Amino acid sequence: MQKKLCHERIAKALVENAINDGFLISVTGTQRVVDRSRNFAEITKAMFSTDMDTLTLNVEKRRVGIITLAYGNGDNGLGVISDHTDVPHINRLVEQTLKELEPNSMPNLQRPD
């Protein structure tokens, strides 16, 4: 149960940071699909209904990257971000989100060695 809570916390922090960075987010892989939104509640409501979500990050109508979230990944919760587009702005977003959620701020979350 703790791993699921860690996954949700990381995924929600990632969405919040992406919105704050000005990205429009599309969600696929769920029962409900969201297309280019900055509405945190709408985006997170569409997430978590399956074991995996894909977040497509857009600037206006241009796709600039994808982040795949796999909720069963990893023993410690950090594996929830299973893949992402390897470009500077997406790398920075992922690194910033994980740094904000250091193990000290999340019980039972430990960084891999």
Side-chain angles (χ1 to χ4, degrees):
M1 184 65 165
Q2 283 294 82
K3 182 168 67 170
K4 181 180 177 189
L5 294 175
C6 290
H7 285 177
E8 287 185 21
R9 189 165 176 194
I10 292 168
K12 287 179 177 180
L14 183 67
V15 168
E16 183 175 19
N17 287 337
I19 291 169
N20 289 340
D21 283 354
F23 292 111
L24 294 164
I25 302 173
S26 298
V27 181
T28 55
T30 63
Q31 299 292 328
R32 185 168 180 232
V33 176
V34 172
D35 187 36
R36 292 185 296 236
S37 175
R38 284 194 181 107
N39 184 310
F40 179 82
E42 176 186 32
I43 294 165
T44 56
K45 183 177 180 183
M47 297 169 63
F48 311 114
S49 66
T50 64
D51 291 338
M52 182 180 289
D53 286 312
T54 300
L55 306 180
T56 303
L57 305 181
N58 298 278
V59 174
E60 298 307 322
K61 293 185 179 184
R62 186 173 61 94
R63 184 179 82 184
V64 295
I66 294 175
I67 300 173
T68 303
L69 303 170
Y71 304 116
N73 255 2
D75 294 333
N76 61 6
L78 291 173
V80 69
I81 302 173
S82 68
D83 197 14
H84 61 86
T85 305
D86 187 14
V87 294
H89 54 278
I90 303 297
N91 291 336
R92 184 195 52 75
L93 174 64
V94 169
E95 290 169 10
Q96 171 192 348
T97 300
L98 293 177
K99 185 176 181 181
E100 287 174 4
L101 299 172
E102 289 293 329
N104 293 339
S105 68
M106 291 183 68
N108 300 321
L109 179 65
Q110 298 175 350
R111 289 203 177 269
D113 293 330

